Amino acid sequence: MNVSIGHRTDVGRARDGNEDSYLVQPPLFVVADGMGGHLAGEVASQTAIRVITDQYESDPASADSQLAAYVQEANRAIHAKSEESPDLSGMGTTCTLLFLDGTDAHFVHVGDSRAYLFRQGEMSQITEDHTLVERMVKEGRIQRNEAARHPQRNVITRALGLDEDVNVDTVDIVVRTGDRLLLCSDGLNSMLDDEEIRSLLESEPDAQSTADRLVERANEAGGDDNITVIVIDVGREDTAAPPPPPAVQNTDPGDRVMPQSEVDDEGPRRSWLKRLVIAAVVIGLIAGAGFFAARYALDHSYFVGATEDGTIAIFKGIPDEFAGLTLRSEEELSDITVDDLPENLRDNVEEGIKVDSLEDGRSTLANLEERAADIDSNRTQPKDDASPGGGGSNN
Ligand code: MG
């Protein structure tokens, strides 16, 4: 697989130094955007590049299985360094790594640098930003179009060096002739919106002129941050069969990355069909598990609660609803209602008092009946029989 590569880094127009570092060592490419006071950000991003390079060069043959480990090791090295020196304390860096193994493009990613795929006029972001605003978008707290201008858009939720361990995203896609890949630090995409980046990827003829033009445009738009771009044009001699849908993997099970990289005409349908089938199977499994849980609950659980008209009863099943279903049956009705109980017990009964067996249910019920009887006898006592000592000490 032939590739043509363009790359450029620039301090931008607002910063004193350039804390971005990057590596172009085909088939390995990395962008790292360092953060921390003074020189710390630079040290962090350079350390990431150096550790990754050292590991790669020590055993290039096993690279494709070790990429996540490279990044984890870089994380440990940066963290150790920041612990050793007060000047470097708290430093960190993003890291977006690409390893091109033939037509297999393996990405490992932490932070808010980005990888994009440009294919047949359309651009999609391969990596997911580890930022507060991205999380807010995912949780539906803000709209996607608000994210770019959000005051907290620079807050990163994951970076190398902040902790001894880090979760890394890994995304695999299959590239084809004519694809253009872009790795960049946020100095690019914070200055240019996706449409502007896409149109530059579309209009610029070669990889290096694209890299140059992207950096120039980000500077023209303000250049608020360091800007780093790597542009990789996938060569033309490869005529492989249509690629399978991308494999997706993420070391953090709670935070999966969905690549938005299927823009071909057959791939997406197949891939979505596959996802639908998987979703149906998963839903089926959950429903099945729920059914057995429900059956078990119905057959083995009892509680004392109230019927709709307030009559206290022993139920078989569980007081809670399960997926909108009521899972209980009345076993034995009592002669009392919730209103017959002292106030402090009513909520408990209405929520359902779980008991271990029908026998336990009966003794709980007997208890409640006694309490109701106590109240009843108090009520029937004549008013002037009540003890006068209780309330009159205030005068
Ligand atoms: Mg930056």
Side-chain angles (χ1 to χ4, degrees):
M1 171 67 59
N2 263 4
V3 293
S4 162
I5 301 154
H7 51 89
R8 187 159 156 194
T9 190
D10 192 271
V11 67
R13 292 188 172 166
R15 300 285 172 93
D16 294 332
N18 192 343
E19 297 186 319
D20 289 358
S21 299
Y22 73 108
L23 174 73
V24 173
Q25 186 173 338
L28 183 62
F29 309 87
V30 184
V31 166
D33 176 353
M35 63 207 83
H38 303 291
L39 292 172
E42 233 169 300
V43 173
S45 65
Q46 285 170 2
T47 303
I49 301 291
R50 185 181 49 72
V51 171
I52 289 167
T53 310
D54 286 353
Q55 291 185 100
Y56 172 61
E57 288 176 347
S58 73
D59 186 12
S62 63
D64 56 354
S65 65
Q66 295 300 311
L67 300 169
Y70 295 172
V71 176
Q72 305 272 13
E73 187 54 37
N75 172 68
R76 278 188 287 276
I78 296 162
H79 183 65
K81 235 178 215 186
S82 81
E83 299 268 277
E84 280 163 21
S85 160
D87 290 344
L88 302 177
S89 173
M91 70 174 172
T93 184
T94 72
C95 179
T96 300
L97 174 154
L98 162 64
F99 183 74
L100 263 181
D101 182 13
T103 55
D104 292 329
H106 305 290
F107 296 87
V108 182
H109 167 73
V110 175
D112 69 347
S113 298
R114 288 182 175 180
Y116 290 98
L117 168 68
F118 177 82
R119 176 180 287 173
Q120 294 175 346
E122 301 210 31
M123 186 181 80
S124 50
Q125 188 180 332
I126 295 165
T127 50
E128 177 181 279
D129 297 347
H130 298 138
T131 57
L132 191 63
V133 292
E134 180 62 27
R135 189 182 289 178
M136 289 162 83
V137 169
K138 281 170 84 179
E139 289 170 357
R141 288 155 64 195
I142 60 170
Q143 296 296 310
R144 171 138 326 268
N145 58 17
E146 294 171 71
R149 312 251 174 280
H150 196 279
Q152 285 165 317
R153 63 187 175 277
N154 293 325
V155 178
I156 289 186
T157 52
R158 262 197 255 171
L160 301 192
L162 305 184
D163 221 325
E164 267 174 63
D165 292 303
V166 69
N167 287 319
V168 303
D169 291 348
T170 65
V171 182
D172 301 327
I173 69 168
V174 176
V175 293
R176 348 159 152 167
T177 296
D179 284 352
R180 184 168 261 185
L181 294 163
L182 167 65
L183 306 186
C184 65
S185 62
D186 69 334
L188 180 74
N189 57 270
S190 60
M191 291 290 108
L192 305 181
D193 63 25
D194 276 7
E195 175 45 33
E196 186 153 16
I197 295 171
R198 190 207 64 80
S199 92
L200 282 167
L201 292 177
E202 184 166 54
S203 60
E204 285 299 322
D206 67 81
Q208 188 57 52
S209 75
T210 307
D212 293 339
R213 192 71 194 110
L214 286 167
V215 169
E216 282 164 24
R217 278 295 303 129
N219 272 326
E220 285 163 17
D224 289 350
D225 194 3
N226 309 142
I227 310 149
T228 300
V229 298
I230 303 173
V231 177
I232 300 148
D233 282 344
V234 178
R236 299 187 180 281
E237 79 260 18
D238 189 87
T239 48
V248 184
Q249 204 189 338
N250 181 335
T251 58
D252 176 2
D255 188 13
R256 287 184 66 83
V257 169
M258 302 297 286
Q260 301 155 338
S261 51
E262 312 98 313
V263 290
D264 50 318
D265 22 52
E266 256 212 299
R269 212 168 304 146
R270 255 187 326 189
S271 144
W272 279 108
L273 184 63
K274 196 168 159 189
R275 282 187 197 160
L276 276 176
V277 170
I278 291 169
V281 169
V282 169
I283 290 166
L285 285 174
I286 291 169
F291 174 77
F292 286 113
R295 279 310 306 233
Y296 187 87
L298 272 178
D299 291 345
H300 294 83
S301 309
Y302 293 89
F303 69 97
V304 174
T307 63
E308 278 190 358
D309 66 9
T311 305
I312 297 173
I314 303 171
F315 295 84
K316 190 189 246 187
I318 51 175
D320 311 299
E321 289 191 347
F322 191 90
L325 297 172
T326 307
L327 300 171
R328 70 183 81 151
S329 59
E330 281 170 28
E331 287 297 295
E332 290 180 15
L333 280 173
S334 74
D335 295 322
I336 56 170
T337 70
V338 175
D339 291 338
D340 297 326
L341 293 174
E343 236 154 345
N344 61 342
L345 286 175
R346 289 178 193 168
D347 282 352
N348 289 345
V349 172
E350 258 153 6
E351 278 170 28
I353 301 168
K354 289 178 190 170
V355 293
D356 290 332
S357 62
L358 185 59
E359 225 24 69
D360 280 356
R362 285 180 183 138
S363 69
T364 301
L365 198 55
N367 234 316
L368 293 172
E369 281 168 337
E370 266 177 43
R371 304 296 298 275
D374 287 348
I375 285 200
D376 200 40
S377 65
N378 281 343
R379 274 187 198 145
T380 51
Q381 263 179 346
K383 278 256 156 78
D384 43 9
D385 267 8
S387 160
S393 57
N394 266 358
N395 39 346

